[in-house]
Amino acid sequence: MTSHPRVTQPKYRRIAEDLKSEIDSGRYLPGDRLPGENDLMATYGVARMTARQALGVLQGEGIAEARKGVGVFVREFRPIRRRGIQRLSDRNWGGGFSVWSADIAARELTVDQLTVAEREAPEQIAAVLGLKPGEPACVRSRRFVLDGKPVLLSESYLPAALVAGSRITDPDTGPGGTYARLAELGHKPVHFQEHIRSRMPAGNEAERLALAPGTPVFLVHRTAFAEDGQAVEVNEMVLDSAAYILEYSFDA
């Protein structure tokens, strides 16, 4: 019988788990200041770097946030569980609900910095949508704000000729949103493909999402396909990585 070496959890991880347990138990509430590096060094008998790494774990998981010159605090914003499969079910948008309904329950979601316009799509997106050179796309640009915090920048591209005259070209697309309107036009999305990667924010993304320094973003590139295989929408999204838990639940 082969014995396997016991894996010892690093000290900073054990400290981080202790702090998370105390947050879960209610000892530290949203907005409360967590023990600082000096406190953790004294309590656990560890070096400053170890204490700093422990607090960094909580910041990286979106549980806590650092305030310059003040300390590290329990984050008041609850992360969003982005249910990547359930949110795109036609039981949601086909029933008149937003795709967000699977993620946020009764939390307050608003959309600002909203524009809808016809313009030429980037070359790669135009190719996916089957647009000819110079053929316009309907572009819907939005910033989503949850519980008062910006969490997502979204830019959707749809063939302008496909959606002309529909509510997709209006700021408010109505119950069920864009996908419900595509279904009414005879182009119901039946398949989705998402690509996700991470990078540091570019341009004014950090400002528009009110990101803490050093916070990366998730990039989600989603394509919606109709039954005939035609791509009917490409949506490029930039997410505050500290505001999200990406959750995927499916049968084996």
Side-chain angles (χ1 to χ4, degrees):
M1 182 175 178
T2 303
S3 62
H4 297 279
R6 182 180 177 183
V7 177
T8 303
Q9 190 179 41
K11 287 183 179 179
Y12 76 90
R13 283 282 178 188
R14 296 204 302 272
I15 298 170
E17 291 302 322
D18 286 351
L19 291 172
K20 285 192 281 186
S21 295
E22 292 180 328
I23 292 170
D24 290 341
S25 72
R27 178 178 177 185
Y28 297 109
L29 300 174
D32 284 352
R33 183 182 182 278
L34 291 170
E37 292 176 10
N38 290 339
D39 299 320
L40 296 176
M41 290 165 62
T43 300
Y44 290 92
V46 295
R48 183 173 300 279
M49 182 56 69
T50 301
R52 186 171 299 168
Q53 286 177 305
L55 292 170
V57 169
L58 271 63
Q59 294 173 66
E61 294 182 7
I63 297 170
E65 59 185 354
R67 299 177 190 172
K68 191 172 182 180
V70 182
V72 177
F73 293 77
V74 180
R75 191 170 177 143
E76 297 188 63
F77 180 83
R78 288 179 291 131
I80 306 159
R81 287 190 175 273
R82 185 182 188 274
R83 295 174 167 88
I85 295 175
Q86 295 92 326
R87 70 195 316 270
L88 295 174
S89 168
D90 64 2
R91 286 176 295 186
N92 284 337
W93 50 264
F97 297 100
S98 163
V99 295
W100 284 82
S101 63
D103 301 337
I104 64 171
R107 299 172 71 179
E108 183 183 356
L109 177 73
T110 58
V111 177
D112 68 356
Q113 300 182 6
L114 168 65
T115 62
V116 184
E118 280 194 13
R119 69 171 190 260
E120 191 171 344
E123 185 177 348
Q124 288 183 326
I125 293 177
V128 172
L129 293 173
L131 298 177
K132 298 175 182 177
E135 188 176 358
C138 173
V139 185
R140 299 180 55 83
S141 300
R142 294 153 291 170
R143 183 175 75 163
F144 290 83
V145 180
L146 183 64
D147 296 342
K149 185 198 181 310
V151 294
L152 168 69
L153 307 176
S154 170
E155 198 155 76
S156 297
Y157 296 83
L158 305 100
L162 187 75
V163 301
S166 73
R167 289 189 66 177
I168 293 172
T169 63
D170 296 336
D172 183 359
T173 55
T178 296
Y179 296 147
R181 303 292 79 77
L182 283 170
E184 292 169 355
L185 292 171
H187 302 285
K188 176 182 176 180
V190 298
H191 180 71
F192 297 93
Q193 184 178 71
E194 285 192 346
H195 299 275
I196 301 172
R197 65 186 180 92
S198 180
R199 63 160 167 76
M200 297 307 295
N204 65 349
E205 291 170 350
E207 179 182 353
R208 293 183 66 197
L209 289 171
L211 299 177
T215 303
V217 293
F218 290 132
L219 304 181
V220 180
H221 177 100
R222 181 172 71 227
T223 306
F225 298 89
E227 193 167 14
D228 61 1
Q230 178 186 2
V232 291
E233 183 218 31
V234 173
N235 193 345
E236 294 202 319
M237 293 161 275
V238 182
L239 290 65
D240 172 3
S241 64
Y244 281 87
I245 296 171
L246 304 183
E247 181 177 298
Y248 296 87
S249 176
F250 46 88
D251 294 332

